[in-house]
Coordinates of all heavy atoms in Angstrom, one line a residue:
L510 N -38.7 57.1 32.4 CA -39.1 56.2 31.3 C -38.3 54.9 31.4 O -38.9 53.8 31.1 CB -38.9 56.9 30.0 CG -39.9 58.0 29.7 CD1 -39.5 58.7 28.4 CD2 -41.3 57.6 29.6
A511 N -37.0 55.0 31.7 CA -36.2 53.8 31.8 C -36.7 52.9 32.9 O -36.8 51.6 32.8 CB -34.8 54.1 32.1
L512 N -37.2 53.5 34.0 CA -37.7 52.7 35.1 C -39.0 52.0 34.7 O -39.3 50.8 35.0 CB -38.0 53.5 36.3 CG -38.5 52.9 37.6 CD1 -37.6 51.8 38.1 CD2 -38.8 53.9 38.7
V513 N -39.9 52.7 34.0 CA -41.1 52.1 33.5 C -40.9 51.0 32.5 O -41.5 49.9 32.6 CB -42.0 53.2 32.8 CG1 -43.2 52.6 32.1 CG2 -42.5 54.2 33.8
G514 N -39.9 51.2 31.6 CA -39.6 50.2 30.6 C -39.0 48.9 31.3 O -39.3 47.8 30.9
L515 N -38.2 49.2 32.4 CA -37.6 48.0 33.1 C -38.7 47.2 33.8 O -38.6 46.0 33.8 CB -36.6 48.6 34.1 CG -35.7 47.5 34.8 CD1 -34.9 46.7 33.8 CD2 -34.8 48.2 35.8
V516 N -39.6 47.9 34.4 CA -40.7 47.2 35.1 C -41.5 46.3 34.1 O -41.9 45.2 34.3 CB -41.7 48.2 35.8 CG1 -42.9 47.5 36.3 CG2 -40.9 48.8 36.9
L517 N -41.8 46.9 32.9 CA -42.5 46.2 31.9 C -41.7 45.0 31.4 O -42.3 43.9 31.2 CB -42.9 47.1 30.7 CG -43.9 48.2 30.9 CD1 -44.0 49.1 29.7 CD2 -45.2 47.6 31.3
A518 N -40.4 45.2 31.2 CA -39.6 44.1 30.7 C -39.4 42.9 31.7 O -39.3 41.8 31.3 CB -38.2 44.6 30.3
L519 N -39.6 43.3 33.0 CA -39.3 42.3 34.0 C -40.6 41.5 34.4 O -40.6 40.4 34.8 CB -38.7 42.9 35.2 CG -37.2 43.4 35.1 CD1 -36.8 44.0 36.4 CD2 -36.3 42.2 34.7
F520 N -41.8 42.2 34.4 CA -43.0 41.7 35.0 C -44.1 41.4 34.0 O -45.1 40.8 34.4 CB -43.5 42.6 36.1 CG -42.5 42.8 37.2 CD1 -41.8 44.0 37.3 CD2 -42.3 41.8 38.1 CE1 -40.9 44.2 38.4 CE2 -41.5 42.0 39.2 CZ -40.7 43.2 39.3
V521 N -44.0 41.7 32.7 CA -45.0 41.4 31.8 C -44.6 40.1 31.1 O -43.6 40.1 30.4 CB -45.2 42.5 30.7 CG1 -46.2 42.1 29.7 CG2 -45.7 43.8 31.4
P522 N -45.4 39.0 31.2 CA -45.0 37.8 30.5 C -45.4 37.8 29.0 O -46.4 38.3 28.6 CB -45.9 36.7 31.3 CG -47.1 37.5 31.7 CD -46.6 38.9 32.0
R523 N -44.5 37.2 28.2 CA -44.7 37.1 26.8 C -45.1 35.6 26.5 O -44.3 34.7 26.8 CB -43.5 37.5 26.0 CG -43.5 37.2 24.5 CD -44.3 38.2 23.8 NE -44.4 38.0 22.4 CZ -43.4 38.3 21.5 NH1 -42.3 38.9 21.9 NH2 -43.6 38.1 20.2
R524 N -46.4 35.4 26.1 CA -46.9 34.1 26.0 C -47.8 33.9 24.8 O -48.4 34.9 24.4 CB -47.5 33.6 27.3 CG -48.7 34.4 27.7 CD -49.5 33.7 28.9 NE -48.6 33.7 30.1 CZ -49.0 34.0 31.3 NH1 -50.3 34.4 31.4 NH2 -48.2 33.9 32.3
R525 N -48.0 32.7 24.3 CA -49.0 32.3 23.3 C -49.9 31.3 23.9 O -49.5 30.4 24.6 CB -48.3 31.8 22.1 CG -47.5 32.9 21.3 CD -46.7 32.3 20.2 NE -46.0 33.4 19.4 CZ -45.1 33.1 18.5 NH1 -44.7 31.9 18.2 NH2 -44.5 34.1 17.9
M526 N -51.2 31.4 23.5 CA -52.2 30.4 23.9 C -52.9 29.9 22.7 O -53.2 30.6 21.7 CB -53.2 31.1 24.9 CG -52.6 31.4 26.2 SD -52.4 30.0 27.2 CE -52.1 30.8 28.8
W527 N -53.3 28.6 22.8 CA -54.1 28.0 21.7 C -55.3 27.2 22.4 O -55.1 26.6 23.4 CB -53.3 27.0 20.9 CG -52.2 27.7 20.1 CD1 -52.4 28.3 18.9 CD2 -50.8 27.8 20.4 NE1 -51.2 28.8 18.4 CE2 -50.2 28.5 19.4 CE3 -50.1 27.4 21.5 CZ2 -48.9 28.8 19.4 CZ3 -48.7 27.6 21.5 CH2 -48.1 28.3 20.5
V528 N -56.4 27.3 21.7 CA -57.6 26.5 22.1 C -58.1 25.8 20.8 O -58.3 26.5 19.8 CB -58.7 27.3 22.7 CG1 -59.9 26.4 23.0 CG2 -58.2 28.1 23.9
K529 N -58.2 24.5 20.8 CA -58.5 23.7 19.6 C -59.7 22.8 20.0 O -59.8 22.2 21.1 CB -57.3 22.9 19.2 CG -57.5 22.2 17.9 CD -56.2 21.4 17.6 CE -56.3 20.7 16.2 NZ -55.0 20.0 15.9
A530 N -60.6 22.7 19.0 CA -61.8 21.9 19.2 C -62.0 20.9 18.0 O -62.0 21.4 16.8 CB -63.1 22.7 19.4
V531 N -62.1 19.6 18.2 CA -62.3 18.6 17.2 C -63.4 17.7 17.7 O -63.7 17.5 18.9 CB -61.0 17.8 16.9 CG1 -59.9 18.7 16.3 CG2 -60.5 17.1 18.2
V532 N -64.1 17.2 16.7 CA -65.2 16.2 17.0 C -64.7 14.8 16.9 O -64.1 14.4 16.0 CB -66.4 16.4 15.9 CG1 -67.5 15.4 16.2 CG2 -66.9 17.8 15.9
V533 N -64.9 14.1 18.0 CA -64.5 12.7 18.1 C -65.6 11.8 18.6 O -66.6 12.3 19.1 CB -63.3 12.6 19.1 CG1 -62.1 13.4 18.7 CG2 -63.7 13.0 20.5
D534 N -65.5 10.5 18.3 CA -66.5 9.6 18.8 C -66.3 9.3 20.3 O -65.2 9.0 20.8 CB -66.3 8.3 18.0 CG -66.7 8.4 16.5 OD1 -67.4 9.3 16.2 OD2 -66.1 7.7 15.7
G535 N -67.4 9.5 21.0 CA -67.4 9.2 22.4 C -67.7 7.8 22.8 O -68.0 7.0 21.9
P536 N -67.7 7.5 24.0 CA -68.0 6.1 24.4 C -69.5 5.8 24.2 O -70.4 6.7 24.3 CB -67.7 6.1 25.9 CG -67.8 7.6 26.3 CD -67.3 8.3 25.1
G537 N -69.8 4.6 23.8 CA -71.2 4.2 23.6 C -71.8 4.8 22.3 O -73.0 4.8 22.1
G538 N -70.9 5.2 21.4 CA -71.4 5.6 20.1 C -71.8 7.1 20.0 O -72.3 7.6 19.0
G539 N -71.7 7.8 21.1 CA -72.1 9.2 21.1 C -71.0 10.1 20.4 O -69.9 9.7 20.0
T540 N -71.3 11.4 20.3 CA -70.4 12.4 19.7 C -69.9 13.3 20.8 O -70.7 13.8 21.6 CB -71.1 13.1 18.6 OG1 -71.6 12.2 17.6 CG2 -70.1 14.1 17.9
T541 N -68.6 13.6 20.7 CA -67.9 14.4 21.8 C -67.1 15.4 21.1 O -66.5 15.2 20.1 CB -67.0 13.5 22.7 OG1 -67.9 12.5 23.3 CG2 -66.4 14.3 23.8
V542 N -67.0 16.6 21.7 CA -66.1 17.7 21.3 C -64.9 17.6 22.2 O -65.0 17.8 23.5 CB -66.8 19.1 21.4 CG1 -65.8 20.2 21.1 CG2 -68.0 19.1 20.4
R543 N -63.8 17.4 21.6 CA -62.5 17.4 22.4 C -61.8 18.7 22.3 O -61.5 19.2 21.2 CB -61.6 16.3 21.9 CG -60.2 16.2 22.6 CD -59.5 14.9 22.3 NE -60.3 13.8 22.9 CZ -60.0 12.5 22.7 NH1 -59.1 12.2 21.8 NH2 -60.8 11.6 23.2
L544 N -61.6 19.3 23.5 CA -61.0 20.7 23.6 C -59.6 20.5 24.1 O -59.4 19.8 25.1 CB -61.8 21.6 24.5 CG -63.3 21.9 24.1 CD1 -64.0 22.6 25.2 CD2 -63.3 22.7 22.8
E545 N -58.7 21.2 23.4 CA -57.3 21.2 23.8 C -56.9 22.6 24.1 O -57.2 23.5 23.4 CB -56.4 20.6 22.7 CG -56.6 19.1 22.5 CD -55.6 18.6 21.4 OE1 -54.4 18.4 21.8 OE2 -56.1 18.3 20.3
Y546 N -56.1 22.7 25.2 CA -55.6 24.0 25.7 C -54.1 23.9 25.8 O -53.6 22.9 26.4 CB -56.2 24.4 27.0 CG -57.7 24.4 27.0 CD1 -58.4 23.3 27.4 CD2 -58.4 25.6 26.7 CE1 -59.8 23.3 27.4 CE2 -59.8 25.6 26.8 CZ -60.5 24.4 27.1 OH -61.9 24.4 27.1
A547 N -53.4 24.8 25.3 CA -51.9 24.8 25.4 C -51.3 26.2 25.4 O -52.0 27.1 24.9 CB -51.3 24.0 24.2
G548 N -50.2 26.3 26.0 CA -49.5 27.6 26.2 C -48.0 27.4 25.9 O -47.4 26.4 26.2
L549 N -47.4 28.5 25.5 CA -46.0 28.5 25.2 C -45.5 29.9 25.6 O -46.1 30.9 25.2 CB -45.7 28.3 23.8 CG -44.2 28.2 23.4 CD1 -43.5 27.0 24.0 CD2 -44.1 28.1 21.8
A550 N -44.4 30.0 26.4 CA -43.9 31.2 26.9 C -42.5 31.5 26.2 O -41.8 30.6 25.8 CB -43.7 31.2 28.4
R551 N -42.2 32.8 26.0 CA -40.9 33.2 25.5 C -40.1 33.6 26.7 O -40.3 34.6 27.3 CB -41.1 34.4 24.6 CG -39.8 34.8 24.0 CD -40.0 35.9 22.9 NE -38.7 36.3 22.3 CZ -38.6 37.1 21.3 NH1 -39.7 37.7 20.8 NH2 -37.4 37.4 20.8
G552 N -39.1 32.7 27.0 CA -38.3 33.0 28.2 C -39.0 32.2 29.4 O -39.9 31.4 29.3
E553 N -38.5 32.6 30.6 CA -39.0 31.9 31.8 C -40.4 32.5 32.2 O -40.5 33.7 32.2 CB -38.0 32.1 32.9 CG -36.7 31.4 32.7 CD -36.8 29.9 32.8 OE1 -37.8 29.4 33.4 OE2 -36.0 29.2 32.1

Side-chain angles (χ1 to χ4, degrees):
L510 290 176
L512 181 60
V513 172
L515 188 61
V516 170
L517 292 175
L519 291 178
F520 297 105
V521 174
R523 174 78 180 276
R524 60 172 62 135
R525 291 172 177 171
M526 290 287 191
W527 293 278
V528 181
K529 187 176 182 180
V531 295
V532 179
V533 298
D534 294 333
T540 306
T541 300
V542 174
R543 177 163 295 168
L544 298 171
E545 293 184 72
Y546 307 88
L549 183 65
R551 182 173 182 176
E553 295 292 332

